Structures are given as C-alpha cells and as structure tokens.
Amino acid sequence: MQHRLFRGLAFCLLFLTTAVLFSQKMVPRPPSAVLERFRLFRFFTMENGLSNNTVLSIAQDDDGFLWFGTLDGLNRFDGQNFTAFYHRADGKGLPTNKISSLQALSGHRLLIGTTEGLTVMDTRQLTFEKITLPARPDFGKNDGTVY
C-alpha cells in the first residue's frame, strides 16, 4: 500500500514539474539582441584596408600596435588604419606573403613565421632579418618515411 502511494506521489510530482517547465513560453532573441552581445568587437576586412580576409595569426607589440598575419602579407593596425608589408625581391622584406604565425618579442621585435622560414622584424625601424636555421639532419635514405 505504501509503495503504491509513493509511486503515485512521485508520478504527480514529476507531472507537475514537467508541466511547469514546458508551460513557460520560449521567447527567441531577436537578431539585434544577439548582435548587441558583440558590440565590443570590431570586424575588419579588405574593405577596411586589411591585405587579405584570411587572418592566420594576431599579435600585439610593445607599442600597442596589432599585427595580423594573413595569406597575403603582414598588417599593422594602429587603431585607425592598416599598413601592409609584403615580400620584396631584394631580400629586405618578408621571405613570402603567407604569414602563418606571429609572436611579439621584447625589445620591439616581432617573430614572423612564414611558409619560407622565420623572420624577425624590428617594429620601430620596420626592418626585417631572416633567421637561418640549422640544416635538418640526414635520417637516411629519402624513401618518404616520416620519423
């Protein structure tokens, strides 16, 4: 008898809880309310001066400039405008325009990873210095095996 009473009370409690939860009207947020949550963010594209819309890396230097590494160049943003830096045939610029990674270093320097190697940029003098890495050790015959 007590077991049936307990089951009946449990069923009533479950029914009432479910009824209360599902009786509340679900109000979808209008798109403007969703966009309001992102009001602190600014979106930049090529229309704003970015050299390419595909940004692969972002860093901030000692002076507060934001640096964007893209598929087509390095971009410095001063809060208003973009300045783009590209590969130069004379060897005084980037080794390639595809920037894969950025790391701000002390002393107003920016480490730039590209598909053609590493470069360090002096962010005040706007000069580039290619980093020569040691040759890869020979692991034997070149048969496509990855070690």
Side-chain angles (χ1 to χ4, degrees):
M1 174 88 170
Q2 288 179 334
H3 183 62
R4 287 174 57 165
L5 180 64
F6 177 74
R7 282 180 40 189
L9 288 173
F11 177 76
C12 288
L13 182 62
L14 179 63
F15 176 76
L16 289 174
T17 304
T18 305
V20 168
L21 288 175
F22 287 105
S23 68
Q24 296 179 4
K25 185 176 180 181
M26 297 295 289
V27 180
R29 287 186 174 187
S32 61
V34 173
L35 291 175
E36 180 63 24
R37 297 186 81 188
F38 292 98
R39 67 183 163 79
L40 299 177
F41 294 93
R42 292 172 58 193
F43 299 93
F44 297 105
T45 65
M46 292 173 70
E47 292 175 3
N48 305 107
L50 198 57
S51 66
N52 188 277
N53 286 335
T54 303
V55 175
L56 300 176
S57 188
I58 303 171
Q60 186 171 16
D61 69 16
D62 296 335
D63 295 316
F65 290 112
L66 288 176
W67 295 87
F68 298 88
T70 73
L71 289 177
D72 190 28
L74 176 67
N75 297 262
R76 181 182 73 181
F77 184 63
D78 62 10
Q80 296 290 324
N81 300 304
F82 286 95
T83 302
F85 299 87
Y86 298 100
H87 167 73
R88 289 177 44 178
D90 64 7
K92 294 183 180 180
L94 294 166
T96 183
N97 288 331
K98 185 175 180 183
I99 312 301
S100 55
S101 60
L102 298 172
Q103 177 64 49
L105 303 174
S106 62
H108 308 286
R109 296 175 303 148
L110 184 67
L111 180 63
I112 305 164
T114 73
T115 56
E116 298 294 323
L118 294 173
T119 299
V120 174
M121 177 186 195
D122 183 315
T123 59
R124 287 199 170 164
Q125 301 296 320
L126 304 180
T127 56
F128 297 87
E129 180 183 339
K130 184 171 173 121
I131 297 176
T132 304
L133 298 174
R136 188 180 82 203
D138 186 13
F139 289 110
K141 62 182 178 178
N142 186 7
D143 63 356
T145 304
V146 177
Y147 297 93

